[in-house]
Amino acid sequence: MGDEVLLYNTLSNVLLKLGKNDAESLMKIKSGKISVDSLEEQTKKALVDNKILISNDDIELAKFKLLKQYNRMDDSVLALTIAPTLACNLHCAYCFEQQHPSVFMNDDVENDIISFIKGHVNAKYVHVTWFGGEPLLYFKRIVSLTKKIKSIQGIEKYEAEIITNGVNMNEKIASSLRELNINTVHVTIDGLDSANNERRIGLNHEDTFAKIVRGLDLLAKDDNISKTVRVNTDKTNSEQFVKVYDFVRKRYCGLNFNVYAGFIKDSYGCGNSCVGCLNNTEQGKFLIKSYKKLGVPTETLLPPRYNYECIARLKNGYLIGPKGDLYKCWTDLGNLSMCLGYINDLDNISIDLLSEYMVGNDPFCDSECMKCVLFPICGGGCPHSRIMNQFHGAKNDNCCFAKENIEEFIETYYHLQQSINNF
């Protein structure tokens, strides 16, 4: 970049533009040729404030680990994913749930869930993600459970989100989301028009794309609800991501919508040979190419540091199936070999499986993760993938998709941001 150098810090997620002289001075400090005191005071302060210059790397790593441990063992938070049904109105070949029976939650399980929540007496904040199957197929169960959860004494804050294919979204459901404390709606899609319909096959081969868009139109009426559109992406439909992104930003311009590529992975357990899956390096190249084409400096190009943990690592994080079956990961839903037990029989929870998820293959014990500059961003990757590798013979790649292309990610983000600022 001529006489300028970009400096990106993964610990503070800060991107700075340095003059060539300052950059050379930093390299000399790193090699021990000069001291920090040789920098101008203003430059020195900026580098210290943004954690570029720190007193001890080991202490910063220990602080990062401590923060993660606090989050994992926080008793004040109860993070639940609840599947009121395993039934679905679509037949997607890549879905890990395609072989699951159409089970619906009954009243006894609903009451057991309420007792389960009440049993977490220290939990002041409860967060629920409604999952499935397709949760909108049993929306009345979401309504009844929500009313009971909100009436539990001692809960100071209750929030929820929902993951849906969007086909069954209607005006009644959309208008009731705020009352149910559902602040975020995640809608999955596979492309525009026939590209979506060929992959997301409805029960009567209906136009599922048109139904999803009608649902998004209804959701667009309430801008206080965050809408996330996940474009399920593999090699066979990779060109659709840019098309969907462009469609959403034009149709819902200025509204509370976000679009991202959700890469289909073999590790999701669909049981099929995932010949169309993009590996991590291919994902990185795909994202750079896509956002250059879109001209959008999305934070995906400059991945933020997340301090929270996946429910798989949380002491108070669980997925509850429609029969009251307990799991630590969404991918395990319906797979009884990965079931911890049942909420009405907590004395017989599988400690072996719980230990795998809570402390097994911890990235803080992984020497490769410890020396990787992207560790503060990716946190060691998906816990499920790591656990499958250690205990179940899998060979998942847990590295961040930006690892092989980090310089191009940073430069692409910077140039796109500059082009917008100068527009």
Side-chain angles (χ1 to χ4, degrees), residues 70-288:
Y70 274 145
N71 288 341
R72 290 178 184 180
M73 305 304 290
D74 188 354
D75 264 347
S76 68
V77 177
L78 180 59
L80 299 178
T81 298
I82 302 176
T85 180
L86 294 184
C88 188
N89 49 350
L90 297 181
H91 298 282
C92 307
Y94 54 78
C95 181
F96 67 88
E97 298 179 77
Q98 61 175 317
Q99 302 299 328
H100 291 177
S102 297
V103 179
F104 289 81
M105 184 179 293
N106 61 33
D107 292 342
D108 289 338
V109 173
E110 176 176 302
N111 292 329
D112 288 338
I113 290 174
I114 299 305
S115 297
F116 181 75
I117 295 173
K118 289 179 178 178
H120 290 76
V121 293
N122 294 323
K124 304 301 179 186
Y125 170 55
V126 175
H127 184 278
V128 170
T129 300
W130 299 106
F131 189 58
E134 170 47 47
L136 293 187
L137 291 179
Y138 206 20
F139 190 68
K140 67 178 183 180
R141 184 64 68 184
I142 294 175
V143 173
S144 60
L145 257 171
T146 300
K147 290 179 179 179
K148 291 181 180 180
I149 294 171
K150 290 173 68 173
S151 69
I152 297 175
Q153 293 185 353
I155 296 178
E156 297 176 359
K157 185 176 183 181
Y158 170 72
E159 289 183 312
E161 58 188 318
I162 189 168
I163 299 172
T164 172
N165 59 39
V167 172
N168 275 30
M169 182 62 66
N170 58 40
E171 191 166 354
K172 181 180 179 180
I173 293 173
S175 63
S176 64
L177 295 176
R178 292 281 297 283
E179 184 181 348
L180 298 171
N181 293 58
I182 297 176
N183 301 321
T184 303
V185 179
H186 304 272
V187 179
T188 55
I189 197 168
D190 282 38
L192 298 182
D193 302 308
S194 61
N196 175 83
N197 295 344
E198 288 172 4
R199 291 163 60 92
R200 316 200 83 191
I201 303 170
L203 298 179
N204 298 308
H205 292 270
E206 72 266 38
D207 187 348
T208 55
F209 174 75
K211 289 190 173 185
I212 292 169
V213 173
R214 281 199 292 271
L216 292 175
D217 288 347
L218 291 170
L219 292 170
K221 295 179 180 181
D222 190 342
D223 209 41
N224 290 311
I225 293 177
S226 176
K227 279 75 66 175
T228 298
V229 178
R230 171 193 160 114
V231 186
N232 295 323
T233 303
D234 58 27
K235 292 177 182 177
T236 65
N237 75 327
S238 58
E239 79 287 350
Q240 291 296 317
F241 170 65
V242 169
K243 294 179 180 180
V244 173
Y245 196 112
D246 210 37
F247 172 85
V248 171
R249 71 173 169 178
K250 289 177 180 176
R251 190 177 183 93
Y252 309 110
C253 181
L255 299 180
N256 193 359
F257 277 81
N258 175 53
V259 183
Y260 77 100
F263 295 107
I264 296 170
K265 299 180 181 180
D266 215 0
S267 61
Y268 286 169
C270 63
N272 298 332
S273 177
C274 203
V275 293
C277 293
L278 294 159
N279 63 36
N280 286 5
T281 300
E282 290 170 334
Q283 290 174 23
K285 291 179 179 178
F286 168 82
L287 291 172
I288 291 169

Side-chain angles (χ1 to χ4, degrees), residues 1-7 16-21 23-24:
M1 293 185 60
D3 292 332
E4 295 177 340
V5 175
L6 293 178
L7 175 62
L16 299 176
K17 182 174 67 175
L18 300 179
K20 189 174 181 179
N21 291 336
E24 289 177 349

Side-chain angles (χ1 to χ4, degrees), residues 8-14 303-305 372-377 406:
Y8 176 51
N9 185 287
T10 58
L11 188 61
S12 57
N13 199 46
V14 167
R305 169 185 167 183
C372 179
V373 296
L374 293 181
F375 181 60
I377 290 175
I406 187 62

